[in-house]
Amino acid sequence: MPDDIPGGRYGFGEQWPPQPPAPAFPAPAATPLRVLVADDNPVVRAGLTALLHGRGDIVVVAEAADGRQAYEKAVRHRPDVVLLDVRMPGVDGISALPHLVRLAPVLMMTYSSESAVVRQALRLGAGGYLVHGEFTAAELVAAVRDTAQGRARFTHSASGALLESLRERAAPEDEGRPPLPDGLGAVCAGAEARCPAEPHSDGPSPRNAPPTGPFVGHSTSRSSAPAARSVLSELSEREVEVMDLIASGMSNQQIAAACFISQKTVKNHINRIFTKLNVGSRGEAIALWHRRPPGGPARHG
């Protein structure tokens, strides 16, 4: 048999005619994050754009000078992240925020660190809050990437303003402070049951082990609502802060970032809060929290 046809020297199992090796193509590069920068100050816009354009995985697709332009360009360019200033002429950032978050995650980038502004921005859906002068170029890039992934980022004055506001709301006045309730500790089941305490770390301990009383996982009924209100005073100072953040609409991730604790610790706090309030869901806890007596719960621990 000739050796230049199939079945010859190439054998029946080989491709005929011989093919050259396939070229090696590089793996496709990851699609860069598309960012929209909205700030009325052209110098700030240019600075943010320059910082972000030098990264291979981030590209600034548009700039805007006010909230209206930001919304129009977000509709047109569909960015992955919007960097948004608070105070701008025309439509400001806070007014545009609820419309922008429907299109992309929003990271506030502003000089405003007032607690009321921080709280309002988070309530309206901001995924993070950075105050100018408190972050480096590397931290800005990390914040943009985290915001795109749904991870909250805050600079220290934004976190401090938020916590200060919560403490002011939760602290009772010196005068008119509610008396110590007669049934302190009655929420615990049995004479030897241990009341839940605020955790000191992410891991459980004999003192802060999750409660095992009869209220875990049970929803509030009409007959148990008065009893639940009576235990509002048993929340610790940290639990008051966490409950205020829950009532403001923040997620566990946002609460963890604002309080500088892990999400696991946030979950531990929430479990204890639900047990003390005798509720089984966030909605029930928020409804009960809004019905608490004037002056708020007493804080201890």
Side-chain angles (χ1 to χ4, degrees), residues 37-97:
V37 178
D39 195 296
D40 63 311
N41 188 328
V43 175
V44 173
R45 290 201 310 271
L48 293 174
T49 299
L51 287 174
L52 297 175
H53 258 317
R55 314 289 167 165
D57 62 337
I58 298 176
V59 58
V60 177
V61 295
E63 297 180 14
D66 61 31
R68 185 176 299 279
Q69 284 187 16
Y71 178 76
E72 292 172 351
K73 293 191 176 184
V75 171
R76 186 185 314 157
H77 295 280
R78 294 292 173 173
D80 299 304
V81 177
V82 175
L83 304 187
L84 184 65
D85 188 19
V86 169
R87 294 189 172 95
M88 295 182 287
V91 179
D92 61 57
I94 294 296
S95 299
L97 180 56

Side-chain angles (χ1 to χ4, degrees), residues 179-190:
L180 190 68
D182 293 335
L184 186 64
V187 70
C188 299

Side-chain angles (χ1 to χ4, degrees), residues 16 30 32 34 43-44 58 70 98 104 116 120 157 166 169 199 203 210 230 238 250 266 273 278 281:
W16 179 266
R34 297 162 55 81
V43 175
V44 173
I58 298 176
Q120 182 70 356
S157 66
L166 294 178
R169 289 182 55 199
S230 71
R238 174 65 90 181
M250 291 179 65
V266 172
I273 290 169
N278 188 20
S281 70

Side-chain angles (χ1 to χ4, degrees), residues 4-270:
D4 59 348
I5 60 173
R9 62 187 176 90
Y10 289 97
F12 288 100
E14 299 183 27
Q15 187 177 11
W16 179 266
Q19 300 295 317
F25 293 104
T31 303
L33 291 175
R34 297 162 55 81
V35 177
L36 166 64
V37 178
D39 195 296
D40 63 311
N41 188 328
V43 175
V44 173
R45 290 201 310 271
L48 293 174
T49 299
L51 287 174
L52 297 175
H53 258 317
R55 314 289 167 165
D57 62 337
I58 298 176
V59 58
V60 177
V61 295
E63 297 180 14
D66 61 31
R68 185 176 299 279
Q69 284 187 16
Y71 178 76
E72 292 172 351
K73 293 191 176 184
V75 171
R76 186 185 314 157
H77 295 280
R78 294 292 173 173
D80 299 304
V81 177
V82 175
L83 304 187
L84 184 65
D85 188 19
V86 169
R87 294 189 172 95
M88 295 182 287
V91 179
D92 61 57
I94 294 296
S95 299
L97 180 56
H99 304 280
L100 288 168
V101 294
R102 300 173 186 171
L103 303 174
V106 176
L107 175 62
M108 306 304 294
M109 300 269 314
T110 178
Y111 289 99
S112 304
S113 59
E114 295 91 340
S115 58
V117 176
V118 176
R119 287 174 59 85
Q120 182 70 356
L122 295 176
R123 186 178 295 113
L124 293 176
Y129 200 107
L130 304 186
V131 177
H132 287 298
E134 298 182 357
F135 56 86
T136 64
E139 289 169 340
L140 168 62
V141 172
V144 170
R145 292 168 179 159
D146 282 350
T147 301
Q149 296 296 322
R151 295 188 291 266
R153 279 279 188 147
F154 300 89
T155 51
H156 64 84
S157 66
S159 298
L162 180 59
L163 291 178
E164 180 182 359
S165 174
L166 294 178
R167 291 189 178 108
E168 289 175 354
R169 289 182 55 199
E173 299 292 338
D174 291 337
E175 296 181 0
R177 181 174 299 183
L180 190 68
D182 293 335
L184 186 64
V187 70
C188 299
E192 298 179 358
R194 292 172 298 187
C195 292
E198 180 183 9
H200 294 280
S201 65
D202 288 346
S205 69
R207 181 175 178 268
N208 57 36
T212 57
F215 301 110
V216 177
H218 290 268
S219 61
T220 304
S221 64
R222 292 182 181 271
S223 61
S224 63
R229 286 195 295 271
S230 71
V231 299
L232 285 174
S233 59
E234 295 201 14
L235 297 186
S236 69
E237 182 175 353
R238 174 65 90 181
E239 288 165 350
V240 167
E241 293 172 359
V242 171
M243 189 60 229
D244 259 324
L245 292 170
I246 292 172
S248 73
M250 291 179 65
S251 66
N252 287 8
Q253 188 176 58
Q254 290 173 322
I255 294 171
C259 297
F260 299 100
I261 57 178
S262 69
Q263 291 191 56
K264 180 179 178 182
T265 300
V266 172
K267 291 179 181 178
N268 288 340
H269 283 308
I270 292 175

